[in-house]
Protein backbone atom coordinates (compact mmCIF):
# COMPACT_ATOMS: atom_id res chain seq x y z
CA UNK A 1 0.00 0.00 0.00
CA UNK A 2 1.30 3.44 -0.90
CA UNK A 3 1.98 6.14 1.67
CA UNK A 4 -0.74 8.38 0.17
CA UNK A 5 -3.28 5.59 0.67
CA UNK A 6 -2.17 5.18 4.29
CA UNK A 7 -2.51 8.93 4.76
CA UNK A 8 -6.03 8.88 3.30
CA UNK A 9 -6.98 5.99 5.62
CA UNK A 10 -5.67 7.91 8.65
CA UNK A 11 -7.55 11.05 7.69
CA UNK A 12 -10.82 9.19 7.07
CA UNK A 13 -10.45 7.24 10.31
CA UNK A 14 -10.25 10.57 12.13
CA UNK A 15 -13.09 12.15 10.14
CA UNK A 16 -15.15 9.86 7.92
CA UNK A 17 -17.06 12.86 6.56
CA UNK A 18 -13.96 14.64 5.28
CA UNK A 19 -14.59 15.91 1.74
CA UNK A 20 -12.52 14.82 -1.24
CA UNK A 21 -11.40 18.44 -1.58
CA UNK A 22 -10.12 18.53 2.01
CA UNK A 23 -8.50 15.11 1.59
CA UNK A 24 -6.77 16.45 -1.50
CA UNK A 25 -5.48 19.50 0.36
CA UNK A 26 -4.17 17.33 3.19
CA UNK A 27 -2.46 14.83 0.88
CA UNK A 28 -1.32 17.08 -1.95
CA UNK A 29 -3.52 15.24 -4.47
CA UNK A 30 -6.23 16.54 -6.77
CA UNK A 31 -9.85 16.02 -5.76
CA UNK A 32 -10.37 13.52 -8.59
CA UNK A 33 -7.20 11.59 -7.67
CA UNK A 34 -8.37 11.36 -4.05
CA UNK A 35 -11.82 10.21 -5.19
CA UNK A 36 -10.26 7.44 -7.31
CA UNK A 37 -8.00 6.33 -4.47
CA UNK A 38 -10.88 6.23 -1.96
CA UNK A 39 -12.98 4.18 -4.41
CA UNK A 40 -10.09 1.73 -4.85
CA UNK A 41 -9.61 1.48 -1.08
CA UNK A 42 -13.33 0.71 -0.73
CA UNK A 43 -13.25 -1.86 -3.56
CA UNK A 44 -10.21 -3.58 -2.03
CA UNK A 45 -12.04 -3.84 1.30
CA UNK A 46 -9.68 -1.56 3.22
CA UNK A 47 -12.53 0.86 3.93
CA UNK A 48 -15.42 -1.18 5.24
CA UNK A 49 -17.80 1.69 5.95
CA UNK A 50 -18.29 5.08 7.51
CA UNK A 51 -19.89 5.86 10.84
CA UNK A 52 -20.68 8.49 13.39
CA UNK A 53 -18.83 8.92 16.67
CA UNK A 54 -21.53 8.88 19.33
CA UNK A 55 -21.50 10.61 22.70
CA UNK A 56 -22.90 7.61 24.55
CA UNK A 57 -23.40 9.50 27.82
CA UNK A 58 -25.51 12.12 26.05
CA UNK A 59 -27.39 9.30 24.29
CA UNK A 60 -28.39 7.84 27.66
CA UNK A 61 -25.87 4.99 27.93
CA UNK A 62 -22.96 6.36 29.96
CA UNK A 63 -21.83 3.01 31.42
CA UNK A 64 -19.42 0.98 29.28
CA UNK A 65 -18.21 -2.45 30.33
CA UNK A 66 -16.25 -5.35 28.93
CA UNK A 67 -17.84 -8.71 29.59
CA UNK A 68 -15.75 -11.85 29.19
CA UNK A 69 -17.79 -14.97 28.55
CA UNK A 70 -16.71 -18.54 29.21
CA UNK A 71 -18.76 -21.62 28.33
CA UNK A 72 -20.17 -23.55 31.25
CA UNK A 73 -20.36 -26.73 29.17
CA UNK A 74 -17.52 -26.87 26.62
CA UNK A 75 -19.21 -29.76 24.80
CA UNK A 76 -21.95 -27.38 23.61
CA UNK A 77 -21.61 -25.80 20.15
CA UNK A 78 -19.69 -22.52 19.91
CA UNK A 79 -22.68 -20.48 18.74
CA UNK A 80 -22.48 -17.68 21.30
CA UNK A 81 -22.32 -14.79 18.80
CA UNK A 82 -25.51 -16.02 17.14
CA UNK A 83 -27.26 -16.42 20.50
CA UNK A 84 -26.27 -12.88 21.51
CA UNK A 85 -26.57 -11.07 18.16
CA UNK A 86 -29.97 -9.57 19.00
CA UNK A 87 -28.90 -8.10 22.35
CA UNK A 88 -28.83 -4.40 21.52
CA UNK A 89 -26.61 -3.38 24.43
CA UNK A 90 -23.72 -5.42 22.98
CA UNK A 91 -21.71 -3.07 20.79
CA UNK A 92 -18.87 -5.45 19.86
CA UNK A 93 -18.08 -9.15 20.19
CA UNK A 94 -14.53 -10.47 19.84
CA UNK A 95 -13.45 -14.12 19.76
CA UNK A 96 -10.29 -14.32 21.87
CA UNK A 97 -7.57 -16.75 22.89
CA UNK A 98 -7.15 -17.36 26.60
CA UNK A 99 -9.42 -18.37 29.43
CA UNK A 100 -12.45 -16.63 27.95
CA UNK A 101 -14.02 -17.51 24.62
CA UNK A 102 -15.36 -14.06 23.77
CA UNK A 103 -15.17 -10.51 25.05
CA UNK A 104 -18.19 -8.26 24.65
CA UNK A 105 -18.18 -4.48 24.75
CA UNK A 106 -21.49 -3.32 26.20
CA UNK A 107 -23.13 0.04 26.88
CA UNK A 108 -25.97 0.59 29.35
CA UNK A 109 -27.54 3.41 31.35
CA UNK A 110 -27.13 2.20 34.93
CA UNK A 111 -25.49 -0.49 37.06
CA UNK A 112 -28.93 -2.09 37.43
CA UNK A 113 -29.19 -2.26 33.64
CA UNK A 114 -25.77 -3.92 33.53
CA UNK A 115 -26.88 -6.46 36.13
CA UNK A 116 -30.00 -7.22 34.05
CA UNK A 117 -27.92 -7.51 30.86
CA UNK A 118 -25.49 -9.95 32.50
CA UNK A 119 -28.37 -12.14 33.60
CA UNK A 120 -29.78 -12.14 30.06
CA UNK A 121 -26.37 -12.97 28.53
CA UNK A 122 -25.83 -15.85 30.96
CA UNK A 123 -29.30 -17.26 30.31
CA UNK A 124 -29.23 -16.87 26.52
CA UNK A 125 -25.75 -18.29 25.95
CA UNK A 126 -25.37 -20.60 28.99
CA UNK A 127 -22.03 -19.01 29.95
CA UNK A 128 -20.29 -17.57 32.96
CA UNK A 129 -19.25 -13.93 32.82
CA UNK A 130 -16.52 -11.69 34.20
CA UNK A 131 -17.12 -7.96 33.93
CA UNK A 132 -14.81 -4.97 33.85
CA UNK A 133 -16.44 -1.54 34.10
CA UNK A 134 -14.83 1.33 32.18
CA UNK A 135 -14.10 4.36 34.37
CA UNK A 136 -12.97 6.69 31.57
CA UNK A 137 -11.85 6.52 27.94
CA UNK A 138 -8.76 8.66 27.28
CA UNK A 139 -8.90 7.62 23.60
CA UNK A 140 -10.77 5.14 21.44
CA UNK A 141 -10.81 4.02 17.79
CA UNK A 142 -7.47 5.61 16.93
CA UNK A 143 -6.30 5.37 13.36
CA UNK A 144 -3.35 2.96 13.27
CA UNK A 145 -2.49 2.98 9.56
Amino acid sequence: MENKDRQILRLLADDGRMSYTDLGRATGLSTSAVHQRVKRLEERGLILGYGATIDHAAAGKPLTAFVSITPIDVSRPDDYPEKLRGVEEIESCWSVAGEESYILKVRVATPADLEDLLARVRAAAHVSTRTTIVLSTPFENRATH
Side-chain angles (χ1 to χ4, degrees):
M1 182 185 327
E2 295 180 33
N3 284 336
K4 292 288 183 187
D5 290 340
R6 289 185 211 290
Q7 191 177 8
I8 289 169
L9 289 174
R10 267 193 306 275
L11 290 164
L12 287 174
D14 288 339
D15 179 3
R17 295 176 56 135
M18 193 172 199
S19 71
Y20 294 128
T21 303
D22 290 340
L23 284 168
R25 275 192 211 111
T27 60
L29 297 170
S30 70
T31 301
S32 62
V34 166
H35 184 262
Q36 290 173 356
R37 283 178 180 263
V38 169
K39 280 291 197 202
R40 278 199 308 266
L41 292 167
E42 290 170 345
E43 289 167 0
R44 291 174 48 203
L46 290 165
I47 297 175
L48 300 175
Y50 302 87
T53 302
I54 310 283
D55 180 340
H56 294 283
K61 294 197 174 182
L63 196 156
T64 302
F66 292 97
V67 179
S68 300
I69 63 173
T70 305
I72 292 173
D73 180 357
V74 294
S75 67
R76 293 177 63 129
D78 183 354
D79 57 357
Y80 309 109
E82 291 78 22
K83 288 181 176 178
L84 299 172
R85 189 170 307 281
V87 181
E88 73 174 38
E89 296 93 340
I90 300 174
E91 182 177 299
S92 302
C93 174
W94 296 284
S95 175
V96 296
E99 287 185 38
E100 298 89 5
S101 295
Y102 293 89
I103 296 177
L104 312 174
K105 180 180 180 183
V106 303
R107 296 192 190 268
V108 294
T110 67
D113 292 335
L114 179 59
E115 186 175 28
D116 174 67
L117 172 62
L118 294 173
R120 288 186 287 129
V121 165
R122 289 182 197 119
H126 196 65
V127 293
S128 64
T129 61
R130 184 174 53 88
T131 303
T132 302
I133 294 175
V134 175
L135 299 177
S136 69
T137 306
F139 55 84
E140 183 176 36
N141 299 326
R142 294 192 310 174
T144 58
H145 300 281

